[in-house]
Structures are given as C-alpha cells and as structure tokens.
Amino acid sequence: MNKRAMLLEKIKELGFPQKDVFVSIKDFFEGNEDDASIGVNIYPDPPSLREFYDTLKEIEKTNKTEGVFVRITDVDDTDWFYSDTIYLFGDYTLDDVKNMFKLLRPNEIYEGRMYDRSSNISHIAPGIKVYSIWWD
C-alpha cells in the first residue's frame, strides 16, 4: 500500500469528515508532491513544499514545542490531501509564532484553536498554549 493510501485509511479511522483530523507533519509531507496541498493562495512566489516541511520540522525540534499538527481540510480521490491550518502547541508568545512562520506567510495566526469541533488531538498537557496558523 502506498503512503497516500495508508494515510487515507488513517484519516478515515480518525473520523474524517465528521471530526477535525490532524496528522503529524511527517505524515502530511512525506510522499506529498502536490504543491497545491497547502498555502496554495500565497502570491507571488509561494514557499515550496520543501520549505513548508523544513520550517515545520525546525519548529517541531525546539524544546519549547509540544507538537505540530496539520489539519486535513479536504480529501480528493486523486490529489494529495489539502490543509489550510497548522496547530502549534508550545511555550511561545504570539510574536514568537509570527516570527517562526514568517517565511510561510500565513494569512492569520492567533492563540487558540481555530476550529472548535471535536478532533483527534487530546494528548497535549493542560496549560500548554495552542496557536492556529491559517492559509486562505
């Protein structure tokens, strides 16, 4: 089974589309060659998938980060999965997050969960801040 098929199975098991489903950055980016899977409306000169992945991996490695998750927004039969939102859990200020994501040029960054629906993210310790990073 290829990576896309395995991830699709996982996404469905996690409750998509009834629930908001978030996957690791590794799951979302490894095997993904679809430039339109995230940040598709950044103009001009959108960051590449590699720039997205490398930036998110660097953020994930810091000792202030508890988790970085990619929201699955759409599932298509042929293309890779589409995302418009990253959730970052960690010990950051809003200004810290804005600086870390500057290269990726999100439309909005704010503290809190952008979506209030039930999701598969429940293992983050209480008191850890969450930031929503969103692209149109």
Side-chain angles (χ1 to χ4, degrees), residues 19-20 22 69 87 89 113 118-126:
K19 287 185 173 184
D20 270 343
F22 290 82
F69 300 95
Y87 276 1
F89 292 84
R113 292 182 188 227
S118 174
S119 83
N120 62 303
I121 301 175
S122 60
H123 63 279
I124 301 299

Side-chain angles (χ1 to χ4, degrees), residues 33-117:
E33 296 178 8
D34 183 357
D35 288 329
S37 63
I38 191 168
V40 68
N41 292 327
I42 298 172
Y43 180 83
D45 303 317
S48 68
L49 279 176
R50 175 59 46 202
E51 288 171 311
F52 265 96
Y53 191 26
D54 288 348
T55 299
L56 295 172
K57 283 191 297 189
E58 286 303 311
I59 292 168
E60 188 176 54
K61 283 194 272 185
T62 68
N63 62 357
K64 289 181 149 190
T65 299
E66 294 292 324
V68 181
F69 300 95
V70 180
R71 177 179 182 253
I72 301 300
T73 308
D74 193 20
V75 172
D76 185 298
D77 288 338
T78 57
D79 296 325
W80 196 258
F81 313 99
Y82 175 73
S83 179
D84 63 359
T85 308
I86 301 288
Y87 276 1
L88 169 64
F89 292 84
D91 184 23
Y92 295 104
T93 67
L94 184 58
D95 285 338
D96 291 338
V97 177
K98 287 178 179 179
N99 285 331
M100 291 185 304
F101 279 86
K102 192 178 289 188
L103 171 72
L104 302 181
R105 299 177 13 225
N107 295 87
E108 294 180 28
I109 299 175
Y110 62 89
E111 188 173 342
R113 292 182 188 227
M114 183 172 205
Y115 298 96
D116 237 355
R117 295 178 4 166

Side-chain angles (χ1 to χ4, degrees), residues 10-21 117 120:
K10 178 179 181 176
I11 289 167
K12 287 182 177 181
E13 285 175 6
L14 291 170
F16 185 86
Q18 291 78 20
K19 287 185 173 184
D20 270 343
V21 171
R117 295 178 4 166
N120 62 303

